[in-house]
Amino acid sequence: MSLAPPRSRSGRIKIDVLIPAIDKDLETLPFVIDAIRKQVKHPIGKMMIVSPNSPRIKALCAQKKCTFVHERTVLPITKKQIRYRSKRWERSGWLLQQLLKLSGDRLGSSRYFLTMDADTVLIRPHVFWQKGKPVFYCRSWSHPEYFRVSQRLMGRKRAAPSSFVAHYMLFEKAKLARMKKRMEARHGTRWYQAILRSIDRSKQFGFSEFELYGNFVYAANPKGVVLKRCLNKSLNQSVKSISPKRIKALASTFRSLSFHKRRGYSLKPKGLRK
């Protein structure tokens, strides 16, 4: 029997926060941090920024009272060792930040941690635990390759009716550790090596940490989770150019804003749906 999660005086469970980031995320990262503190309705323990050895990110951590974590202390592999690229795109760093999120069970002291993409800003209040169940924010479409790779890794097909790629997710450390142990037992190697070996490197969108973990939790107990629509909006402009008035207007329809296209790619190709 699992123990009930520890709660604060407000009745909300306490969570840590983990955000992988690099220098080019500095345009959005301050807004991401501020929005988490405003919109996440849980007591926050450590706010951890996992990054290369960047003086600029260290300075931001000091300014925003976050904990800087050098990515080399989290994973024994680097972006250079991943080599996930083609003549048209470079995705090694994109994959590395996913592996860093999946390493969060080794960081912080809370039983739960929220991971957040460094280019996604919350604009409405969020809870991640409701009526004794974790809350997952979901969307209706995804990349089929995400599910093919997850099936190779875990030996089971997609379980959930929706996609878990909302650009943020609450992880429970014990469940995450259990999932990684199952991968290691199945593949006879460390969990991150199993992921790297399972990816089709000819595919630009070859893996999702959110689909992997979300479906692992959902398959174990579909009635034990709460699924909510993520209502995310991708914008092709600078976060600094959006006025408070427009954010308020957008918040009537959306829960979060993402600025993916500033990185030179769109996450939703034509023709891909649920």
Side-chain angles (χ1 to χ4, degrees), residues 158-175:
R158 170 187 183 180
S162 301
S163 166
F164 291 98
V165 183
H167 314 302
Y168 49 93
M169 175 176 276
L170 184 74
F171 287 82
E172 182 175 347
K173 288 182 178 179
K175 290 179 180 177

Side-chain angles (χ1 to χ4, degrees), residues 29-39 47 64 121-122:
L29 188 54
F31 297 90
V32 174
I33 293 168
D34 290 347
I36 289 171
R37 289 193 168 126
K38 178 180 179 181
Q39 304 291 4
M47 178 92 72
K64 295 291 185 181
V121 178
L122 302 179

Side-chain angles (χ1 to χ4, degrees), residues 46 70 87:
K46 275 191 175 182
H70 195 312
K87 292 180 180 179

Side-chain angles (χ1 to χ4, degrees), residues 23-88:
D23 275 6
K24 70 178 180 179
D25 294 313
L26 284 165
E27 178 183 334
T28 54
L29 188 54
F31 297 90
V32 174
I33 293 168
D34 290 347
I36 289 171
R37 289 193 168 126
K38 178 180 179 181
Q39 304 291 4
V40 173
K41 301 308 176 182
H42 294 268
I44 293 175
K46 275 191 175 182
M47 178 92 72
M48 298 171 285
I49 310 300
V50 183
S51 165
N53 190 21
S54 163
R56 295 176 66 196
I57 291 182
K58 285 181 177 179
L60 179 66
C61 286
Q63 176 190 347
K64 295 291 185 181
K65 295 181 173 56
C66 298
T67 300
F68 174 84
V69 180
H70 195 312
E71 65 185 26
R72 289 299 301 274
T73 66
V74 179
L75 270 177
I77 57 174
T78 65
K79 175 182 172 180
K80 290 182 179 179
Q81 293 171 296
I82 290 177
R83 296 188 294 275
Y84 180 31
R85 63 177 70 92
S86 74
K87 292 180 180 179
R88 296 182 295 107

Side-chain angles (χ1 to χ4, degrees), residues 130-185:
Q130 182 177 305
K131 297 181 180 179
K133 301 176 183 180
V135 176
F136 290 102
Y137 292 86
C138 302
R139 67 186 185 187
S140 62
W141 67 276
S142 194
H143 294 272
E145 190 64 18
Y146 292 167
F147 305 116
R148 284 192 283 268
V149 172
S150 293
Q151 186 172 351
R152 287 183 211 126
L153 288 166
M154 303 301 295
R156 62 173 52 159
K157 292 184 178 180
R158 170 187 183 180
S162 301
S163 166
F164 291 98
V165 183
H167 314 302
Y168 49 93
M169 175 176 276
L170 184 74
F171 287 82
E172 182 175 347
K173 288 182 178 179
K175 290 179 180 177
L176 176 57
R178 195 179 310 137
M179 182 188 77
K180 293 194 291 187
K181 285 182 180 178
R182 288 191 187 178
M183 274 194 287
E184 292 180 340

